[in-house]
Amino acid sequence: MTLLSIYGPTLDYSKQQKDEFFFQLEQIIKNVPARNRLAVLGDFNACVGKDWEHWGHIIGQHGTGSLNENGQHVLELCASCELIVSNTYFAGSNHSKVTWRHPHSGHWHQLDLILIRRKNIRNVLHARSMHSADCNTDHALVRAKLQLHPKKIHHVKLKNKPRLNIINMKDSDTCAKFQCTLECVSG
């Protein structure tokens, strides 16, 4: 499994800086082998909203808030790399979906996301934010429970007993010596 932890540009960054960030992130994601499970997690500073009718192959029916500029970038990245926003696929209270509270308006937003490959959605058992985690930050921790089935990478070969064809040996002393050696090694 490949895990990418990111911190996206805030809304104060220029459009060019945001475009460059998401372009570089897309290149990194596309270099991860397709056979690897992939999770891109972090503070994207993006609200992807709840418009699952238009983005149904990327976000689930349990999104929150409205789309912002960084959210549009995230959705386009997901479409390009066949990713989904796993946070939006699980029901729960709005409090279990949001991760950051705006200091002035007091509104809660879902800025921290977990993106995974669309083909691996069945491996995500649950995703939610954890407000009780003490992480010394103004963001809530986002947790996803995954069910992974690791594949065997190495096969251990059992050492077989040495096999020698001693029947056709002409010298009986040499044959007896090999037979004794074989019995000692295998015994």
Coordinates of all heavy atoms in Angstrom, one line a residue, residues 20 165 174:
E20 N -0.1 24.3 -10.1 CA 1.2 23.6 -10.0 C 1.2 22.5 -9.0 O 1.7 21.4 -9.2 CB 2.3 24.6 -9.8 CG 3.7 24.0 -9.7 CD 4.2 23.4 -11.0 OE1 3.7 23.8 -12.1 OE2 5.0 22.5 -11.0
N165 N 21.5 -40.5 -8.0 CA 21.3 -41.8 -8.5 C 22.5 -42.7 -8.3 O 23.5 -42.6 -9.0 CB 20.9 -41.7 -10.0 CG 20.5 -43.1 -10.6 OD1 20.5 -44.1 -9.8 ND2 20.2 -43.1 -11.9
T174 N 32.6 -46.2 -3.2 CA 32.1 -44.9 -3.4 C 30.6 -44.8 -3.2 O 30.1 -43.9 -2.6 CB 32.5 -44.3 -4.8 OG1 33.8 -44.5 -5.0 CG2 32.1 -42.9 -4.9

